Amino acid sequence: MRLFFVYVLPFVLLSFNFAEGATVQGADNTEVSVQNPKRLVVINSSATETLFALGLGDRIVGTDAGSTYPAVAEKLPKVGHPYRPSAEGIISLKPDLVIATEDSLPPATAQQIRSAKIPVLVLEASDKSGVDGYKRRVRMIAKAFDIEAKAEKEIQRFEEGLKKINSSATEGKSAKVFFLYAHGAASGRIYGTQTGPHYLIEAAGAHNAAESVEGVKDFTSEAMVKMQPDAILVLKRVSKNLGGTEGVLKLQGISLTPAGKNKRVIEIDDSVRWIGPRFPEFAQELNTALAK
């Protein structure tokens, strides 16, 4: 009996702890059993950034094409479009866990991956509920990896960054900012409430000129003129596609707004449509630009 307690019991307890792992309920209401995963495929750039912020980046073996930050993420194997990743590509990387947001992974693709006996943890959409949504996603990841203390530090860093912005926002408070997303001069989108750009503009101490719109709608010049924004916010790659600031100002309707008359176009990082670890940094950047 003594030999059992000395030599056998420790191994029994060790096996029990390993098997226990963690069970996490995803945003798609699917429970996922996680046991210290070592090979991760991550879909959604903000999710990828969050994994790196939590010290889990060295476990990532693949991402979607939009995950390009930090620089090391750009070199990881890619599994396709940020909203239409390839199930076959994901499975081929032999992950022991796939992490994605509900806005980036179609349910049919998730089912296909699960059919291959690979667990899929679906997080809330990366632009949902602003800062609170980001906190929930961080804590969900933390629960899966049993790193709750590290997650709380990340959340504290995030909140402290936002507090600094709020205390310094002065001139930007009254500005109406219009976020313009476009693939070209002939097509565009308006980002109203409950979108990443809306929360970013508010965090910067300004107002979303499209706050009468909910979600994402097609762009119209009539709507632009009616909203009368003081500044136009565009992604750097969108500005480049449109021909820079002069190209943005040539879009129909913009010349009839204060932003157009004052040639006030602000470029910002391509990932701001999603809320991730650098959100306070982007909000500070916008706040500084508006205060000039």
Side-chain angles (χ1 to χ4, degrees), residues 1 15 22 37 43 45 49 55 77 79 96 116 153 156 161 170 177 183 192 197 219 232 251 257 262 270 272:
M1 182 60 73
S15 299
I43 310 299
S45 62
E49 287 192 40
V79 296
D96 49 16
K153 286 185 179 178
Q156 182 179 3
T170 53
V177 180
H183 290 293
F219 171 84
I232 305 294
L251 290 179
T257 68
N262 296 315
D270 293 335
V272 299

Side-chain angles (χ1 to χ4, degrees), residues 8-22 34-35:
V8 179
L9 184 58
F11 290 100
V12 171
L13 293 174
L14 180 62
S15 299
F16 176 77
N17 289 334
F18 177 77
E20 187 176 35
V34 182
Q35 295 182 356

Side-chain angles (χ1 to χ4, degrees), residues 188-200:
R189 296 287 187 274
I190 294 173
Y191 278 67
T193 59
Q194 300 180 42
T195 65
H198 173 79
Y199 294 117
L200 178 76

Side-chain angles (χ1 to χ4, degrees), residues 3 16 21 34 38 50 75 84-85 92 99-100 106 131 143-144 148 157 188 207 224 232 242 247 277 281 285 290:
L3 290 176
F16 176 77
V34 182
K38 301 291 187 183
T50 303
K75 299 177 181 176
R84 298 184 297 278
S92 71
I99 299 177
V131 173
K143 183 178 180 182
E148 282 84 352
R157 178 202 66 81
H207 298 295
M224 167 69 77
I232 305 294
L242 294 175
E281 176 185 327
E285 183 181 332
L290 290 171

Side-chain angles (χ1 to χ4, degrees), residues 39-98:
R39 293 181 60 82
L40 310 175
V41 170
V42 186
I43 310 299
N44 181 270
S45 62
S46 71
T48 299
E49 287 192 40
T50 303
L51 267 292
F52 274 97
L54 294 174
L56 300 167
D58 60 346
R59 303 189 188 195
I60 302 176
V61 297
T63 71
D64 66 287
S67 293
T68 59
Y69 186 90
V72 65
E74 191 166 13
K75 299 177 181 176
L76 291 169
K78 301 302 178 188
V79 296
H81 191 276
Y83 294 117
R84 298 184 297 278
S86 163
E88 292 79 7
I90 293 171
I91 294 169
S92 71
L93 292 175
K94 303 183 185 307
D96 49 16
L97 179 65
V98 175

